[in-house]
Amino acid sequence: MQILEDLSGISVLDLSGETRVATRPEVPVPVYGERIVEGFRIWDPYRSKMAALLIKSHIAGTFYKLVSDLNLSPASKILYLGAATGTTASHFSDIVPAGLVYAVEFSARSMRDLLVLCTARDNIIPILEDASCPERYGPFLEPVDLVYQDVAQRNQAEIAARNAARYLKGGGALVLMIKARSVDVTADPKAVYKAEVERLAGVEVISSADLRPYHRDHWAVVARKEVERR
Ligand SMILES: C[S@@+](CC[C@H](N)C(=O)[O-])C[C@H]1O[C@@H](n2cnc3c(N)ncnc32)[C@H](O)[C@@H]1O
């Protein structure tokens, strides 16, 4: 195994000629059947759009820029919208061991599995709520450094913008995974993606990437919220 790139708790590894991304928890225990190699949890790009984005950025030579744009430190706070059973949230939990991942999920079935994960990881706060009603979870949250969204809803950009407006710190990053087919199954996916990006009010888009071959008709958008001037 060789470490090819490494920043802010995210590593790119060469595993016998295969490029993989990984995180390194204090106690390396698999969460969703992923491989553990020399203490690293191998982050599956087919199961996690964030892992797909990271691998694609490594191939494009923009890994350091992307990870720097996320501006994460071990004590960062993350608002995760659409946490499902915690596949990707568990890797964010590795990246912020002294911070918190607020994991919002509205499916009671997924939340049941997420709660099992939370008993083993005390930096994930499970919130059974609808991400399109951000005012409902205000009492549980403090301002966050990163909003990560993967909710596959018709109004994905609007949900992201409303959560970022309410909870993202000035200068903080938004990562939005856009699933074109959730917005409009009949339209050209690229046109849907462009229209969604235009709906992202209150943040400046700094990069975007098509997630093929790992996820078809999905785009990742990274944006930054302006620092408020007094
Ligand atoms: C594609 S899955 C997320 C996978 C997960 N992000 C991962 O990588 O581990 C989308 C999840 O978003 C949840 N979801 C969809 N709309 C939501 C909403 N409005 N509020 C909260 N969760 C939502 C779904 O129940 C589903 O679990």
Side-chain angles (χ1 to χ4, degrees):
M1 186 198 81
Q2 196 192 345
I3 300 176
L4 302 175
E5 304 198 84
D6 190 66
L7 188 64
S8 304
I10 305 172
S11 308
V12 181
L13 309 177
D14 181 320
L15 296 180
S16 315
E18 276 182 29
T19 305
R20 290 283 176 264
V21 286
T23 53
R24 196 169 199 176
E26 273 168 31
V27 185
V29 177
V31 170
Y32 55 95
E34 73 282 13
R35 287 163 69 195
I36 307 287
V37 180
E38 296 181 30
F40 287 93
R41 289 180 58 226
I42 308 302
W43 197 346
D44 186 340
Y46 292 96
R47 302 276 302 271
S48 169
K49 289 161 203 125
M50 189 66 212
L53 175 61
L54 289 162
I55 288 198
K56 289 208 69 170
S57 75
H58 167 73
I59 294 164
T62 55
F63 173 82
Y64 281 109
K65 179 179 184 310
L66 169 65
V67 178
S68 305
D69 285 342
L70 300 182
N71 201 18
L72 289 172
S73 73
S76 291
K77 312 276 190 311
I78 298 172
L79 172 58
Y80 192 123
L81 306 169
T85 56
T87 300
T88 301
S90 68
H91 287 282
F92 278 123
S93 154
D94 293 346
I95 294 166
V96 297
L100 286 174
V101 180
Y102 296 101
V104 177
E105 172 55 56
F106 74 177
S107 152
R109 177 67 196 85
S110 297
M111 182 54 74
R112 225 161 59 194
D113 292 343
L114 185 63
L115 287 176
V116 175
L117 178 67
C118 294
T119 57
R121 289 172 174 262
D122 58 12
N123 68 344
I124 305 181
I125 311 293
I127 301 174
L128 180 63
E129 260 304 351
D130 185 341
S132 57
C133 305
E135 64 285 354
R136 289 202 201 148
Y137 37 89
F140 311 110
L141 248 72
E142 58 197 312
V144 299
D145 304 284
L146 171 71
V147 172
Y148 179 88
Q149 179 177 305
D150 180 16
V151 297
Q153 289 283 343
R154 262 187 87 79
N155 57 340
Q156 292 161 75
E158 186 199 335
I159 294 174
R162 290 181 52 217
N163 276 275
R166 203 168 183 114
Y167 298 118
L168 188 58
K169 290 179 189 168
L174 165 71
V175 178
L176 169 62
M177 297 303 178
I178 298 179
K179 183 178 181 182
R181 299 214 172 274
S182 296
V183 179
D184 187 338
V185 276
T186 56
D188 169 29
K190 202 157 190 179
V192 171
Y193 153 75
K194 279 191 177 160
E196 281 302 283
V197 167
E198 276 164 23
R199 285 191 189 103
L200 269 183
V203 291
E204 183 198 355
V205 174
I206 46 183
S207 66
S208 64
D210 175 338
L211 296 181
R212 277 179 296 183
Y214 305 105
H215 302 270
R216 255 186 81 202
D217 298 334
H218 281 81
W219 276 266
V221 177
V222 181
R224 185 177 295 119
K225 186 172 176 178
E226 256 186 46
V227 180
E228 283 163 35
R229 292 176 209 281
R230 288 171 183 250

